[in-house]
Amino acid sequence: LVTTLEHPDPFVRKVAMHWMCRIVKRYMSDVRPPTEDAKLGTASASVRNALPHVLPGILLSIGDRFNSRLSTRDSFLPEQTTYALAEQTNECLLEAVRRNGKAYVSHLDGFIVALREELGSPGGLAGRNPPANDRKQYRVDVQPDGSGIESTGWFRSSKDTRWQDEEREESMMMSRLCALEWISVLYVHAVPDSLKAEYAKQFVTPIIHQLIDDPPAQTVFKSLEVLAKITVPVDGESGPQISSSSDSHLSLGSKTSVDSKSEDMELTKSPLTEEDITFALGTLTPAQSKCRSRDRSMFAASIQLYASNHQLLGDLSRAVQIMCTLQPPEFVFASLAVELDIFIRKSAIRKRKVAEEQKIPEDKLEQPFSIDLRFVSTFVQQMCYVLLNSDETKSLRRLLQDCIGRRDLENERDQRRTRLFQILLHSFSHNLVSSVSLCLWAGAYRSAASFLQFIDPLDIDLVCLLEIDKMIEMLERPLFRHLHLRMLENDRDPTAEGSGAMLFKTLKLILMIVPQSSCYKILRDRLVTTSRYRQSALAAGPWVKQRASLNDTPVFVQRVLHVRNLHCKATWEKIRSESLETPNVEDHNFVEDEGADKRAWLGYKSKEEEVATKARFQADKRLVTSLTIEEVKDSYEDLSKMEGAPSKKYALNKEEGKKMEQTNSAKQQGSEEEWKAFWTNAAGNEELQSQDANQ
């Protein structure tokens, strides 16, 4: 019968489901827990032992809606449908398990295999074997009552696919809801207390990863509800033991020794230790503590799901809201923050190992580290949106409000609130706007102003500016009305974390980052209005500082700056990877001669020849510079008193000297006579010209 339930013909499936329903009702509905003297009947025991094999057929048929959309009815059981018969059978079996769950402990392995197969398959009958939409008789010996149905070629699948998408979605939803109900019933009534943790571990990953099909909201809520039920410890266990996922091998409070480069991923003081997380969650009431999961495997599986399927990040906020309705929001956000930190550390180590094995730079990998960082940033953005806008996180908002700005260090509750803020900031630092929003809500204005002053230009992109616009719009809502009044308070210590002066400075820094737009004008008008009052308040009198207190600001700022530098480094590596430069394989054993190219261009054959040439040039240079020139120390005007350099005198013969003197004197007399004649003629000409002019 179970095999026949996979038959493509809907009439055959209906007949098989009818007989299965009759058998189950006959031998399972009247079965009661046997006493010591009474024994279970052979037929009832056989049906009970076959239940793990019957369950796949029920899960397959409970989503069969073929008869519900037909206008005509079958001659066989016209008032019943395959879905109705499967639902009746399923309720009968569930009631039997609720009534005597201990009798099915030996069959848990079969149940687990059947349920995991259903969660891992496409879902429903339409996913495994699309049913026939149109029946046509090919043989003459086929009768209307169904005889001859085993004949070959009796049915065929129709080419009309207008109902296939609708049937597939509805069949998947009904089958998944039925499987999730079975997981919950078996956990409560059949699984012993000592095996509940192991039973839950078998279904955490399949339930989370079946959300990849983007199921309806009803399926998502049921899946998370079942996870919350099977992961919460019962009274028979030792109690809630908050630990990381089973596959996590990293210690949250200590540095990893996988690689020396992993020191970049560590801080000098990490708040994500199990003791600190337990201390931070001490603010929960006893009733809320009982709703916590025994581990964080559910949150680790969720992060892995969204990391592998980025298209599902749009529905992440809905999933986080449902988690907060089923478990305390403080525990949900702290667990997600811890698992995000583990995810990013493991990703960095894994990428580094792959790069070393393939001997290529990390930015040239198919899946570079920047993709994981961008995913974590988007994940944190969705968490921040749920934290500040959802009704399910109202208790967490009330707990974090002014936990840094208005805290009392001697109060244990305030210490727990501060530790919870530090845990959240540890992961919120992966998104700049989310970290600023968290600091503004918690009153850590000085921390926000400190790391905004050191913001990197690579952090300011279009996505960041759009997020800042949304944050400014949120600051104008009634949710942040207390910030508007905080800037008008007269602070005793203007440099404290929760002072109005630090808040004013933070908002001014945000204003300088935002380009001129509508949000810029809104924030500017508010700051201009407040600045007039703050100027008068500063001039009112001297400030009186408060008593010394523990300052955690450097710890907060160091964490944010460390993570932002990590993101900027990954962004720069991504930019380099998209450039046109060819990647060079780095060989750490290769020693490159620094001046080889320059030496070849200058014409040197070797480095020794270059060194010898330079040495010879330096020697010649020293020889030239050894010649000294005596400087004139006295006045340059009295040159007659200065001793000139000895000049060479050439001695001539007396005869040659006389001839040279006579020649020079003759030349001198001739030139004088020529000049006298020239000027005499010139004077005579001037007189003649003057006489002519007078006449």
Side-chain angles (χ1 to χ4, degrees):
L1 290 176
V2 173
T3 306
T4 309
L5 289 175
E6 299 183 9
H7 204 281
D9 184 60
F11 182 75
V12 178
R13 297 197 302 270
K14 183 178 180 180
V15 174
M17 195 68 244
H18 168 69
W19 281 106
M20 181 177 290
C21 182
R22 292 186 61 180
I23 294 174
V24 170
K25 286 184 177 180
R26 172 63 181 83
Y27 294 102
M28 298 296 292
S29 59
D30 297 335
V31 175
R32 294 184 176 86
T35 59
E36 296 180 359
D37 299 332
K39 292 185 179 180
L40 192 65
T42 305
S44 299
S46 300
V47 174
R48 186 184 66 183
N49 295 337
L51 182 56
H53 306 283
V54 175
L55 184 59
I58 296 175
L59 296 175
L60 198 64
S61 300
I62 204 167
D64 191 353
R65 294 301 187 95
F66 178 80
N67 300 105
S68 60
R69 63 178 176 84
L70 292 180
S71 57
T72 59
R73 298 182 179 181
D74 293 329
S75 58
F76 179 74
L77 297 176
E79 301 296 333
Q80 295 286 347
T81 61
T82 307
Y83 164 74
L85 294 172
E87 191 174 11
Q88 295 174 15
T89 308
N90 183 57
E91 289 297 330
C92 183
L93 294 177
L94 287 175
E95 186 62 28
V97 174
R98 294 189 185 99
R99 188 168 53 246
N100 188 17
K102 296 181 179 180
Y104 300 92
V105 175
S106 58
H107 305 295
L108 285 177
D109 292 340
F111 284 118
I112 292 174
V113 172
L115 293 173
R116 283 175 61 95
E117 182 181 0
E118 172 61 30
L119 294 175
S121 64
L125 182 65
R128 297 186 183 181
N129 192 3
N133 295 320
D134 187 15
R135 294 204 308 266
K136 291 187 177 180
Q137 300 179 1
Y138 284 168
R139 296 176 60 90
V140 182
D141 56 346
V142 176
Q143 303 298 326
D145 60 349
S147 59
I149 61 177
E150 297 297 333
S151 302
T152 306
W154 188 83
F155 60 89
R156 71 175 184 179
S157 179
S158 174
K159 296 181 180 180
D160 186 10
T161 58
R162 58 182 177 177
W163 301 100
Q164 288 184 0
D165 296 337
E166 182 179 354
E167 279 192 4
R168 182 183 297 272
E169 183 178 355
E170 190 172 4
S171 175
M172 180 188 300
M173 182 182 69
M174 299 306 300
S175 301
R176 294 285 168 83
L177 291 177
C178 183
L180 293 171
E181 182 66 22
W182 269 99
I183 294 173
S184 178
V185 171
L186 290 173
Y187 177 81
V188 175
H189 299 282
V191 181
D193 293 343
S194 58
L195 298 177
K196 287 187 182 296
E198 189 67 25
Y199 176 84
K201 189 182 299 182
Q202 297 293 328
F203 289 104
V204 169
T205 302
I207 292 177
I208 288 295
H209 281 270
Q210 57 98 18
L211 301 178
I212 192 177
D213 299 320
D214 195 14
Q218 185 179 359
T219 306
V220 176
F221 182 82
K222 184 66 176 180
S223 301
L224 297 178
E225 183 183 16
V226 171
L227 281 176
K229 180 179 291 186
I230 66 177
T231 56
V232 172
V234 296
D235 297 335
E237 300 184 31
S238 59
Q241 299 177 357
I242 307 301
S243 61
S244 180
S245 53
S246 59
D247 58 346
S248 176
H249 60 278
L250 293 179
S251 176
L252 297 178
S254 61
K255 293 187 177 182
T256 58
S257 58
V258 179
D259 199 331
S260 60
K261 295 182 180 180
S262 61
E263 295 180 357
D264 297 337
M265 299 296 298
E266 300 289 342
L267 288 178
T268 56
K269 181 181 179 182
S270 175
L272 301 186
T273 59
E274 298 297 338
E275 294 78 8
D276 291 337
I277 295 172
T278 304
F279 178 76
L281 295 177
T283 56
L284 300 177
T285 61
Q288 291 177 330
S289 299
K290 292 182 179 180
C291 298
R292 293 188 298 174
S293 300
R294 63 174 62 89
D295 54 22
R296 293 188 296 269
S297 58
M298 178 180 69
F299 305 99
S302 301
I303 293 173
Q304 290 292 340
L305 170 68
Y306 289 103
S308 304
N309 305 274
H310 292 179
Q311 71 275 7
L312 301 177
L313 285 172
D315 298 331
L316 174 61
S317 58
R318 182 181 63 177
V320 175
Q321 290 176 3
I322 296 175
M323 291 180 184
C324 293
T325 58
L326 301 172
Q327 293 186 349
E330 296 84 355
F331 172 73
V332 172
F333 273 76
S335 300
L336 289 175
V338 172
E339 292 301 328
L340 281 175
D341 184 71
I342 294 177
F343 168 80
I344 205 66
R345 295 184 187 215
K346 292 173 63 177
S347 176
I349 296 175
R350 184 170 58 253
K351 301 294 182 185
R352 190 174 298 121
K353 285 185 176 180
V354 173
E356 291 177 355
E357 292 175 358
Q358 299 180 1
K359 296 182 179 180
I360 60 176
E362 296 182 19
D363 56 345
K364 300 298 181 181
L365 295 174
E366 295 182 0
Q367 296 291 332
F369 187 49
S370 60
I371 295 180
D372 294 334
L373 289 175
R374 189 163 58 251
F375 156 73
V376 174
S377 177
T378 307
F379 198 101
V380 168
Q381 178 190 1
Q382 297 287 337
M383 289 176 59
C384 183
Y385 174 81
V386 175
L387 173 63
L388 298 177
N389 295 275
S390 178
D391 293 335
E392 290 79 5
T393 57
K394 186 179 297 183
S395 60
L396 179 59
R397 285 200 302 270
R398 193 182 305 112
L399 186 67
L400 291 175
Q401 186 174 3
D402 289 334
C403 63
I404 303 298
R406 301 296 177 89
R407 58 177 173 172
D408 185 4
L409 298 177
E410 298 179 358
N411 190 349
E412 183 179 359
R413 178 177 175 80
D414 289 347
Q415 295 177 5
R416 296 180 185 273
R417 295 167 60 198
T418 303
R419 192 61 53 83
L420 181 61
F421 166 80
Q422 192 173 359
I423 292 173
L424 294 182
L425 184 64
H426 197 81
S427 294
F428 274 51
S429 300
H430 289 281
N431 187 277
L432 180 64
V433 181
S434 298
S435 57
V436 174
S437 302
L438 181 63
C439 290
L440 290 177
W441 181 257
Y445 311 134
R446 182 179 177 182
S447 299
S450 299
F451 64 74
L452 281 177
Q453 287 181 330
F454 300 98
I455 191 171
D456 196 282
L458 291 175
D459 275 330
I460 307 300
D461 53 1
L462 180 59
V463 177
C464 180
L465 294 177
L466 293 176
E467 293 178 2
I468 293 177
D469 285 349
K470 294 180 180 179
M471 182 184 66
I472 294 175
E473 293 178 358
M474 191 180 301
L475 292 176
E476 295 299 322
R477 296 180 183 178
L479 181 66
F480 285 92
R481 192 67 66 197
H482 63 284
L483 296 184
H484 305 160
L485 302 176
R486 184 68 56 81
M487 288 188 292
L488 300 178
E489 295 181 359
N490 192 1
D491 304 317
R492 292 186 176 181
D493 184 7
T495 61
E497 276 285 4
S499 64
M502 291 293 104
L503 174 60
F504 188 79
K505 181 179 180 181
T506 303
L507 296 180
K508 284 197 301 183
L509 291 172
I510 296 175
L511 183 67
M512 294 297 102
I513 297 174
V514 179
Q516 295 188 12
S517 59
S518 58
C519 293
Y520 173 87
K521 295 178 181 178
I522 293 173
L523 185 58
R524 181 197 60 186
D525 294 342
R526 184 169 295 281
L527 292 179
V528 169
T529 305
T530 312
S531 62
R532 298 300 181 184
Y533 171 78
R534 297 207 62 84
Q535 289 177 0
S536 61
L538 287 172
W543 297 100
V544 180
K545 291 189 177 182
Q546 294 179 341
R547 57 186 177 85
S549 59
L550 182 61
N551 190 7
D552 294 334
T553 302
V555 179
F556 303 153
V557 176
Q558 180 187 7
R559 172 60 188 176
V560 176
L561 293 179
H562 172 79
V563 175
R564 298 322 308 166
N565 291 335
L566 190 65
H567 279 258
C568 293
K569 180 182 177 182
T571 303
W572 176 245
E573 290 178 353
K574 182 177 181 296
I575 295 174
R576 290 295 304 272
S577 65
E578 295 176 352
S579 65
L580 300 178
E581 297 180 2
T582 57
N584 297 325
V585 180
E586 295 183 0
D587 188 3
H588 299 286
N589 297 325
F590 175 73
V591 180
E592 183 179 1
D593 192 356
E594 183 177 358
D597 296 337
K598 181 179 179 181
R599 189 181 308 115
W601 183 74
L602 293 175
Y604 296 111
K605 295 182 179 180
S606 62
K607 187 176 182 180
E608 290 75 11
E609 183 180 356
E610 180 184 9
V611 173
T613 304
K614 290 182 178 181
R616 187 170 60 255
F617 175 75
Q618 294 293 336
D620 295 342
K621 186 177 180 181
R622 285 193 297 270
L623 180 62
V624 173
T625 55
S626 62
L627 301 176
T628 59
I629 299 175
E630 184 178 358
E631 296 184 358
V632 179
K633 298 182 180 179
D634 297 334
S635 175
Y636 283 93
E637 296 178 355
D638 192 4
L639 298 178
S640 60
K641 298 181 180 180
M642 296 178 59
E643 296 180 359
S647 59
K648 295 181 179 180
K649 297 182 179 180
Y650 297 92
L652 299 176
N653 295 332
K654 294 181 178 179
E655 296 179 357
E656 294 179 355
K658 290 180 179 180
K659 291 181 180 180
M660 290 179 64
E661 290 179 359
Q662 293 175 0
T663 303
N664 292 334
S665 60
K667 289 181 179 180
Q668 186 175 3
Q669 292 176 0
S671 59
E672 289 179 356
E673 292 177 356
E674 290 178 358
W675 280 108
K676 288 180 180 179
F678 173 78
W679 286 113
T680 302
N681 295 333
N685 293 333
E686 289 180 357
E687 291 178 356
L688 293 175
Q689 289 177 0
S690 60
Q691 291 176 2
D692 293 339
N694 293 330
Q695 291 177 2

